[in-house]
Amino acid sequence: MPSDVEFRQLLIDLDDEMSNDERKRFIFLLGNDIPKRKRDEPLVDIFTILIDRGRISETNCNYLVELLERTKLTTLAYKVARYSTKHTPLTSVSTVLESSQATDNVNGSSTGTIDNVPKDTPTLAELVNDINSEDSMILSESEQNTPTDIKSMTVQPDLASMFLENIDLKVFENDTWSDDFLKKINVNIHPYEYQRELVQSAIQAGNTIICLRTGGGKTLVAGNLRILACDENYDITKYLKSYDVIICTPHKLLNCLKAKTISMSDIDLLCYDECHDTVVRNQYIGIMQYIMCRDVDHIPSTNLLPIIIGLTAVVDLHRSSPVHKTNHLTVLCAIFNCFTITSVLKKDNEAELEKYVCRTSEDEIICITKQKKFDILRLSIEKELSNLILQLFLSKDTNPLRIFPEKDIEMNGYEQSLEILKQSEQKKQHFPSVILINYILAIYRHLRSLADLTPDLVLSDLKDYFEMTYKSREHPIAVDTLIYNKCQSLLKTKLTDFEESEQILLNPKLDKLVELLKKHAEKPNSRALILVERTFYAQKICEFLQNQIELKSTIKPCWLISQNGLDSKKSNKSEDSVLIDFRNGVYNVMISTDVVRAGLDIPECSLVLRYDFVPDSIGTVQARVRARRTNCVYYLITTKDSQNYIKELGNRQCEQDLKEVLETWKQIPSHEFKERVLEKQTSLIKEWSESLTKALATEKIVSENTELIGDVLCRACGYHLGKLSRLRQYGQSYFINDHDFYNRIEEKILPEPREYVTTSVTGKALCGSKNCRAKLGCIQTLKDHSSISPIYPLKCQSIKIKLFERENGSETMILKKKWKQMLFKIPPLEISCSKNDEDIYYDAYDVMQTDV
């Protein structure tokens, strides 16, 4: 229950936020609720009268919300409604749902209703779920940085360097590498002298971290080597004996180490790219634990340890003092079990590095001057979309369960607050609320893009998106229809106004982009790479450039959205063709999401432009060196009041930081630096060992007490997809191995299959509920196993699992981002089944033939 003080503070806040004119209109609406002689009194006195007459109270603010809505004070009405919902218990959730949600009786499913509201007291499984929300074998960031003084075993690098004796490295010790020598070892590219220095220094050091700025050639691999890029569809263990170099994600190697399908004794050299990166650092640490925490029972004992080489161009991702950066370097060495840094030390080689490694001729932050006319239009549309969001939350018709995000719409983190609220509603199986939040997320994301794109591009895309998603559901529920109609009414009105006004809708950022591209296109055989934050931006900027008459003869744009992740090396043919055409000059401008930046080398690329988007410091450095051509240029288009402007200024300091910290490190005596590393390493090993032991004990308890009893449900609507006991794993795919599953989904076949090396994606698998039709995954054919194809891999973020605990009869709803985060092991699919086996896999095509 709210306190009287909290309620009265809310009323004071309302008084503070109203103008004099708004107060007059508010009091006018009160009519006979306020005596005539009191209507000129201060607003707090008016509120007092309403309280005394029982019109408003700390537990009933409905009348106040209605008055504020009628006065067009939507923001204030929203604030009161959110306060009221937070402090007033909801009496009957199921009654509200029944009145707002149509029932889908297809296949006799009873899901989509709120039959399992989580209890206040968490179960054991829920507690374990929280503990294991991240990889249980890996420490949290705070645990990694917690110092301890208790000594423990330290693994000496000498144990690893003993393997150098078994590798013929003498050939690399020559002062010069002649053409004949390089030909003998099958190296087709003559290395620079600074690269030769790094190679020889690394061989002598054993375990080491190589510090060299981006573009310097740290990851150049050459020679008569058998190299495999092992993506998520490959099993590393199958290729250990037949390849010299295997390139994979740290997550994949860590999973193999946990499953004991790979041992550290199988590996001669471990190379960690971007070893400073906090995004993958936890996984890197997880791998290092298998080298350094040798007292933990789970970790196999071995004296055959790999050499460790870390690669980095950035020592610290945060601006800090030289002392802090040096301490960070100490921690980095302790984590990767090395006592020295490898960098270019010879003066002649430093000069060579500066001379030959590409640097931009122009490197500029372009701050756009605001245009009053555009800003007035943008702010008016933003206000209308913001009010639409508030109205959707305020209305009991569109928000029957009275849910509200924790943060206000103008606050940082609002989108994340919506995502958290959405997950909570998915867990409670509140489908109308999930529908509401999906609409609001789309509105908010498009609202944010008004600062970067033209209003007609943004609103027309939002209108088309709503139309596409709404019409994909054959039987939309009442809330869905009501929200859709409200949104489309506003969007159609705005777009009609634009059309009738014949107003030329521009954006100063896009104007500057066009100006830069026109200038750049004057260079012969030029290529430009534009990096954006979202797929939506890539597509819409490409469309914008295609529609500019003045650019028709010079600019040939394309867009690309992924080059990392699943099948990145073996990407589908359409993505390959776009990239090839860009390289060959069929297109001369490519707009791409940021994932393409790393590893994309186009020798002809002479312009890299970030479109008001700055990620981390390594992202800035990597983006700049994507331009490989002589006299290449790098720009950031932004505004001075943007957070991206501030981030870019900090990021540009990173390369200078690397030079400074290396100079500081050179002044530290080697024995003193080694002592610092040993001290930090001792505390790390103790922390890691304790964490591993605890995590393993927890995993054992969970695995022994968790039976696969439960249901797999659509995350959005709760539609029943199959029994948990029928969930199977094949490679990196997880699907329900049951012939009835085919009857519980809707297939959407692609016009043309997306061909990969080992698989073919023929369509999308949608939720079987006609109220929902959310995308669950894809339809996939396995080229090597046509007998078990097709399969329907489920996206973990599209499903939820209702787990039944036999012991106490309770239910737990599990929502995870990745399948690997599940608390239980999912059985692998047995491919070779006898015809009489009851657990045989039923081919979906067989079901289709039977149905026909």
Side-chain angles (χ1 to χ4, degrees):
M1 290 289 291
S3 69
D4 185 58
V5 174
E6 287 179 295
F7 177 61
R8 291 176 185 272
Q9 180 63 56
L10 173 69
L11 299 180
I12 291 174
D13 293 340
L14 295 181
D15 186 17
D16 291 340
E17 294 184 40
M18 284 191 204
S19 66
N20 288 333
D21 185 57
E22 289 168 344
R23 289 189 188 94
K24 289 178 182 177
R25 289 189 287 117
F26 176 79
I27 294 172
F28 176 77
L29 277 178
L30 288 170
N32 292 331
D33 279 336
I34 304 297
K36 288 184 179 180
R37 66 181 185 279
K38 294 288 187 181
R39 291 175 186 173
D40 293 329
E41 299 290 328
L43 193 56
V44 289
D45 292 340
I46 302 295
F47 285 143
T48 302
I49 295 171
L50 293 176
I51 293 172
D52 292 342
R53 293 191 171 192
R55 299 293 279 154
I56 61 174
S57 69
E58 62 265 31
T59 58
N60 186 0
C61 301
N62 293 337
Y63 181 53
L64 183 55
V65 171
E66 181 185 348
L67 287 169
L68 291 169
E69 284 190 273
R70 289 178 178 275
T71 319
K72 307 298 183 185
L73 298 175
T74 308
T75 303
L76 298 185
Y78 174 86
K79 179 178 289 189
V80 176
R82 187 172 66 174
Y83 167 89
S84 177
T85 299
K86 187 180 293 186
H87 294 95
T88 305
L90 195 61
T91 53
S92 177
V93 172
S94 35
T95 302
V96 173
L97 280 173
E98 287 169 8
S99 64
S100 64
Q101 180 176 352
T103 304
D104 182 10
N105 292 319
V106 178
N107 297 324
S109 172
S110 61
T111 54
T113 59
I114 182 64
D115 58 349
N116 178 37
V117 179
K119 304 170 182 63
D120 293 335
T121 306
T123 64
L124 170 63
E126 287 176 316
L127 291 172
V128 174
N129 183 18
D130 291 336
I131 294 171
N132 291 277
S133 58
E134 295 296 332
D135 198 321
S136 59
M137 298 290 287
I138 301 172
L139 290 174
S140 66
E141 194 71 21
S142 60
E143 289 174 318
Q144 294 163 22
N145 298 324
T146 304
T148 59
D149 298 321
I150 303 173
K151 292 186 177 180
S152 182
M153 178 194 70
T154 302
V155 180
Q156 297 291 343
D158 292 339
L159 290 174
S161 61
M162 58 187 278
F163 297 102
L164 294 174
E165 298 174 3
N166 300 324
I167 304 172
D168 184 14
L169 299 173
K170 295 289 185 182
V171 294
F172 294 99
E173 293 182 2
N174 298 330
D175 291 337
T176 59
W177 293 351
S178 65
D179 291 340
D180 290 340
F181 164 72
L182 294 173
K183 186 176 180 180
K184 182 180 177 181
I185 61 174
N186 199 29
V187 175
N188 298 320
I189 301 174
H190 201 295
Y192 291 112
E193 281 300 299
Y194 74 83
Q195 290 176 315
R196 188 176 64 81
E197 177 189 347
L198 291 173
V199 170
Q200 293 179 337
S201 299
I203 291 172
Q204 294 170 3
N207 291 1
T208 189
I209 292 175
I210 298 177
C211 291
L212 182 67
R213 67 182 175 87
T214 298
K218 298 184 293 297
T219 54
L220 176 65
V221 178
N224 192 18
L225 299 172
R226 297 164 297 174
I227 302 171
L228 173 70
C230 198
D231 64 24
E232 294 301 317
N233 292 320
Y234 284 90
D235 181 358
I236 296 178
T237 57
K238 294 181 180 179
Y239 303 99
L240 280 176
K241 305 300 181 183
S242 52
Y243 284 86
D244 301 303
V245 178
I246 295 178
I247 304 168
C248 70
T249 62
H251 181 72
K252 192 169 187 67
L253 176 57
L254 184 57
N255 286 337
C256 291
L257 291 170
K258 289 180 183 179
K260 299 184 179 180
T261 56
I262 288 181
S263 169
M264 281 298 174
S265 60
D266 296 324
I267 304 170
D268 299 310
L269 172 68
L270 263 176
C271 188
Y272 295 94
D273 197 18
E274 310 293 2
C275 66
H276 64 277
D277 198 338
T278 53
V279 176
V280 296
R281 175 74 61 77
N282 275 352
Q283 294 171 354
Y284 281 172
I285 288 175
I287 295 170
M288 289 305 300
Q289 289 171 348
Y290 279 80
I291 293 176
M292 299 168 69
C293 300
R294 294 159 67 188
D295 286 341
V296 177
D297 292 339
H298 176 79
I299 296 176
S301 177
T302 179
N303 289 323
L304 303 174
L305 297 174
I307 300 168
I308 307 298
I309 292 182
L311 305 175
T312 185
V314 180
V315 174
D316 194 357
L317 292 178
H318 306 283
R319 298 192 67 179
S320 52
S321 66
V323 173
H324 176 84
K325 291 186 176 72
T326 306
N327 290 339
H328 182 80
L329 195 60
T330 303
V331 174
L332 208 58
C333 288
I335 289 171
F336 293 103
N337 195 32
C338 60
F339 295 145
T340 188
I341 304 298
T342 297
S343 63
V344 178
L345 300 178
K346 296 179 180 179
K347 295 296 182 183
D348 290 346
N349 291 345
E350 287 181 345
E352 181 188 52
L353 176 63
E354 290 297 317
K355 180 179 180 181
Y356 291 111
V357 175
C358 178
R359 284 199 183 269
T360 53
S361 60
E362 293 181 50
D363 191 344
E364 185 180 353
I365 302 176
I366 300 175
C367 291
I368 302 299
T369 303
K370 292 190 174 184
Q371 296 180 4
K372 185 176 180 181
K373 186 176 180 180
F374 169 76
D375 283 342
I376 290 173
L377 176 61
R378 174 180 63 83
L379 290 172
S380 69
I381 299 172
E382 285 182 359
K383 185 175 181 181
E384 288 189 74
L385 292 181
S386 295
N387 281 337
L388 176 60
I389 290 174
L390 297 179
Q391 288 163 8
L392 291 176
F393 272 125
L394 274 170
S395 170
K396 291 183 179 179
D397 294 327
T398 55
N399 184 13
L401 295 176
R402 314 307 292 150
I403 60 163
F404 295 93
E406 286 294 323
K407 294 194 173 184
D408 291 329
I409 194 168
E410 68 277 1
M411 296 172 65
N412 289 332
Y414 181 72
E415 184 174 346
Q416 184 182 9
S417 181
L418 288 173
E419 290 286 3
I420 292 171
L421 181 61
K422 177 180 171 181
Q423 187 175 82
S424 172
E425 295 306 296
Q426 288 171 335
K427 200 168 187 178
K428 298 172 184 174
Q429 302 221 71
H430 292 172
F431 184 44
S433 297
V434 175
I435 289 284
L436 168 67
I437 299 171
N438 282 337
Y439 274 101
I440 288 173
L441 277 167
I443 297 169
Y444 180 72
R445 287 165 180 161
H446 281 74
L447 182 156
R448 292 277 307 276
S449 68
L450 285 166
D452 302 315
L453 303 173
T454 61
D456 55 333
L457 272 178
V458 173
L459 297 187
S460 62
D461 184 83
L462 183 57
K463 175 180 171 293
D464 293 343
Y465 172 75
F466 282 155
E467 187 170 349
M468 178 189 68
T469 53
Y470 178 76
K471 290 186 176 179
S472 69
R473 300 184 276 266
E474 293 96 317
H475 297 160
I477 63 175
V479 165
D480 194 355
T481 300
L482 189 57
I483 298 174
Y484 172 77
N485 289 334
K486 280 180 176 287
C487 294
Q488 293 298 73
S489 175
L490 173 64
L491 295 172
K492 286 177 182 177
T493 300
K494 295 303 300 180
L495 289 169
T496 302
D497 290 345
F498 292 155
E499 188 175 349
E500 291 177 352
S501 68
E502 298 183 351
Q503 184 178 1
I504 299 175
L505 301 173
L506 300 175
N507 184 305
K509 290 180 187 176
L510 285 174
D511 292 343
K512 175 58 69 172
L513 175 64
V514 169
E515 177 189 327
L516 293 172
L517 290 177
K518 285 172 64 177
K519 179 182 177 182
H520 181 258
E522 295 172 358
K523 301 177 181 179
N525 198 31
S526 63
R527 305 285 189 282
L529 176 63
I530 303 171
L531 297 175
V532 296
E533 183 176 6
R534 296 181 187 268
T535 301
F536 163 65
Y537 278 38
Q539 184 179 1
K540 289 303 167 183
I541 290 177
C542 184
E543 290 177 10
F544 174 81
L545 295 176
Q546 288 171 337
N547 293 329
Q548 298 303 299
I549 297 176
E550 58 183 316
L551 302 179
K552 288 285 185 183
S553 61
T554 55
I555 300 299
K556 296 166 285 186
C558 63
W559 62 285
L560 188 68
I561 61 170
S562 73
Q563 199 65 13
N564 295 343
L566 281 179
D567 273 337
S568 59
K569 263 302 191 190
K570 314 287 190 291
S571 57
N572 79 62
K573 291 180 179 178
S574 62
E575 290 174 358
D576 275 347
S577 64
V578 170
L579 201 52
I580 291 170
D581 287 346
F582 179 61
R583 284 194 168 101
N584 293 336
V586 176
Y587 304 113
N588 59 5
V589 174
M590 184 164 74
I591 307 102
S592 167
T593 49
D594 195 52
V595 292
V596 179
R597 67 160 196 244
L600 177 65
D601 292 323
I602 308 293
E604 297 82 9
C605 188
S606 51
L607 168 65
V608 174
L609 190 150
R610 281 198 178 278
Y611 193 76
D612 209 355
F613 167 53
V614 179
D616 52 27
S617 54
I618 193 62
T620 293
V621 175
Q622 284 183 334
R624 285 161 60 198
V625 300
R626 292 310 115 205
R628 297 286 186 175
R629 198 170 174 181
T630 305
N631 296 324
C632 54
V633 294
Y634 170 82
Y635 296 126
L636 167 68
I637 293 180
T638 187
T639 55
K640 278 202 172 181
D641 61 351
S642 168
Q643 286 296 316
N644 288 321
Y645 176 74
I646 299 170
K647 286 170 68 177
E648 181 75 1
L649 291 177
N651 290 351
R652 287 167 177 258
Q653 186 65 30
C654 285
E655 279 191 281
Q656 187 61 36
D657 288 348
L658 178 62
K659 293 180 180 179
E660 290 177 2
V661 75
L662 289 177
E663 288 301 317
T664 304
W665 171 76
K666 291 175 186 176
Q667 307 305 315
I668 303 173
S670 58
H671 69 277
E672 182 181 331
F673 185 73
K674 182 176 180 179
E675 288 175 0
R676 294 183 187 180
V677 174
L678 281 171
E679 182 181 358
K680 183 60 185 176
Q681 196 177 68
T682 299
S683 65
L684 284 177
I685 291 174
K686 180 182 181 297
E687 294 168 24
W688 292 350
S689 297
E690 290 176 352
S691 178
L692 277 169
T693 302
K694 180 181 177 182
L696 288 168
T698 303
E699 283 188 352
K700 185 177 180 182
I701 293 171
V702 172
S703 62
E704 289 177 352
N705 292 279
T706 302
E707 295 183 74
L708 295 186
I709 303 174
D711 297 320
V712 181
L713 312 174
C714 169
R715 183 172 292 199
C717 70
Y719 184 79
H720 183 268
L721 301 173
K723 293 293 183 183
L724 180 58
S725 59
R726 304 296 298 182
L727 194 62
R728 292 292 183 269
Q729 176 185 1
Y730 178 74
Q732 299 302 313
S733 298
Y734 296 82
F735 57 95
I736 296 173
N737 180 28
D738 191 340
H739 66 280
D740 188 50
F741 176 73
Y742 174 79
N743 297 318
R744 307 197 69 77
I745 62 164
E746 178 76 6
E747 288 188 338
K748 185 177 181 180
I749 305 300
L750 297 175
E752 292 184 7
R754 293 176 182 169
E755 299 292 343
Y756 298 89
V757 172
T758 60
T759 64
S760 175
V761 176
T762 60
K764 300 176 182 178
L766 309 179
C767 174
S769 169
K770 294 180 180 180
N771 302 153
C772 179
R773 293 300 194 232
K775 182 182 175 182
L776 301 174
C778 65
I779 308 169
Q780 193 176 79
T781 300
L782 306 176
K783 295 180 180 180
D784 295 337
H785 298 287
S786 58
S787 62
I788 66 167
S789 297
I791 62 173
Y792 300 83
L794 296 170
K795 189 177 180 181
C796 191
Q797 287 183 302
S798 297
I799 63 97
K800 54 191 173 189
I801 290 175
K802 185 190 288 186
L803 184 66
F804 299 102
E805 297 182 26
R806 187 193 297 275
E807 201 171 291
N808 55 21
S810 63
E811 299 175 355
T812 304
M813 196 67 72
I814 301 174
L815 286 76
K816 292 289 186 182
K817 290 184 178 180
K818 297 180 180 180
W819 286 104
K820 294 292 184 182
Q821 295 175 345
M822 288 296 175
L823 301 177
F824 44 81
K825 290 185 178 180
I826 299 170
L829 176 70
E830 297 291 340
I831 295 178
S832 55
C833 301
S834 66
K835 292 184 179 180
N836 296 324
D837 191 344
E838 293 181 358
D839 197 38
I840 192 169
Y841 177 83
Y842 288 89
D843 192 323
Y845 287 136
D846 293 337
V847 179
M848 286 176 66
Q849 293 166 3
T850 304
D851 290 345
V852 173

